[in-house]
Amino acid sequence: MALIAVTAAKGAPGVTVTSLALTLAWPRAALLAECDPSGGSVLSGYLGGQVPADRGIAGLAVADYHGRLVDDFAQQLLYLDDEEPHRLLLPGITDPAHSAGLTGLWDRLGEYLRQLDRSTPPVDVIVDCGRIPAPHAPLPLIRHADVVLLVMGRTLGAIDAAASRLSLLHRELEHSGGVVRLVLRGIGDYEPREIAKRLDTPVLTTLPEDTKTATMLSTGTGTPRASATLLRALRSAATPLQTLIDQRRHVFAVPAPREAARA
């Protein structure tokens, strides 16, 4: 059903927490792909360093170099939990210095991830893209996204920073049929309606201040309940997000995948 890219402008925190929370709140099986060139943090944060750092996108880049991206993809995944529907993780790099080695991977990975909803079993994908622009940012991957969520605050500075990023995102998605939606965090000086009008971009949802859940997701100091306000907000946002993606895919039909994936 979905390839959703999550990103932010300079000075806008919360991309990883938002991506992880959306993955945990998603109503179907979901994969969180950590594609932030500054490095992944779920292994050391939410998973508390309890899982060996021997899988992830760095290994996938090596497999892709040898023409084995599809064959080796599942070997680079980890389970975020044991519940169904399953939540999977493609861990990010541990050292930002390795981000240059991912440049050639982004386009092929984006094309492959977009097709996982037609795999057996189907998996929706949420990609943590970090902040843009950035050196070696996964813009070629973002071009394959059905929806890009731009996470931002509700201050004048956040609005100004978002404006240039939105221009960049709209250019990247110009020919693919992907769309951009805003995700607003916390309280601020401007109401969602004002921000949407000023940036000429609809707001998908406004996330509540939920420090307790955000801390759990960042540090692994606990597992948030399904009733946590942050998870509830993103669960509520999933339905209109799914509807939007279904509509876009109906207009911009996606070709059938060359080979079914198994996650």
Side-chain angles (χ1 to χ4, degrees), residues 160-183:
D160 289 343
S164 61
R165 275 64 177 186
L166 284 168
S167 297
L168 170 63
L169 291 172
H170 287 308
R171 288 197 303 271
E172 295 296 330
L173 297 171
E174 184 176 6
H175 302 294
S176 68
V179 295
V180 185
R181 293 294 183 266
L182 305 177
V183 173

Side-chain angles (χ1 to χ4, degrees), residues 15 38-39 52 92 115 120 125 141 151 215 238:
V15 175
S38 69
Q115 299 172 357
T120 305
V125 182
L141 187 157
V151 181
T215 300

Side-chain angles (χ1 to χ4, degrees), residues 2-247:
L3 173 55
I4 301 165
V6 186
T7 187
K10 180 180 179 181
V15 175
T16 297
V17 166
T18 302
S19 301
L20 178 56
L22 182 59
T23 302
L24 297 176
W26 197 250
R28 305 199 324 176
L31 164 67
L32 172 59
E34 288 192 289
C35 298
D36 184 347
S38 69
S41 60
V42 175
L43 281 180
S44 60
Y46 180 66
L47 294 179
Q50 300 300 309
V51 180
D54 57 354
R55 302 185 190 184
I57 199 166
L60 193 61
V62 174
D64 179 59
Y65 178 79
H66 293 287
R68 296 186 54 83
L69 186 152
V70 174
D71 296 331
D72 292 0
F73 181 79
Q75 300 174 22
Q76 302 301 330
L77 305 182
L78 297 169
Y79 282 95
L80 283 170
D81 56 37
D82 298 325
E83 300 179 3
E84 292 187 4
H86 291 303
R87 320 292 177 183
L88 300 161
L89 172 69
L90 175 63
I93 55 175
T94 56
D95 185 348
H98 297 156
S99 61
L102 303 177
T103 304
L105 173 68
W106 294 138
D107 182 58
R108 289 183 292 276
L109 180 59
E111 181 181 11
Y112 181 72
L113 293 178
R114 185 175 168 89
Q115 299 172 357
L116 284 182
D117 67 324
R118 299 184 181 188
S119 66
T120 305
V123 178
D124 296 321
V125 182
I126 296 158
V127 186
D128 177 355
C129 296
R131 299 175 185 175
I132 58 167
H136 314 298
L139 290 176
L141 187 157
I142 288 175
R143 294 179 195 129
H144 294 279
D146 296 290
V147 175
V148 178
L149 301 180
L150 183 68
V151 181
M152 58 176 292
R154 295 169 57 181
T155 64
L156 180 59
I159 294 171
D160 289 343
S164 61
R165 275 64 177 186
L166 284 168
S167 297
L168 170 63
L169 291 172
H170 287 308
R171 288 197 303 271
E172 295 296 330
L173 297 171
E174 184 176 6
H175 302 294
S176 68
V179 295
V180 185
R181 293 294 183 266
L182 305 177
V183 173
L184 308 183
R185 290 180 56 87
I187 59 176
D189 303 326
Y190 294 85
E191 294 299 315
R193 185 183 304 175
E194 296 176 274
I195 295 174
K197 182 177 180 179
R198 184 156 184 165
L199 294 177
D200 193 26
T201 303
V203 173
L204 174 70
T205 188
T206 298
L207 301 181
E209 291 284 359
D210 187 355
T211 304
K212 181 178 180 180
T213 300
T215 300
M216 289 181 181
L217 297 177
S218 299
T219 64
T221 52
T223 301
R225 296 182 178 182
S227 59
T229 55
L230 177 59
L231 295 185
R232 285 207 318 268
L234 286 166
R235 195 175 299 113
S236 297
T239 298
L241 189 53
Q242 287 177 310
T243 300
L244 173 64
I245 293 169
D246 287 342
Q247 292 171 344

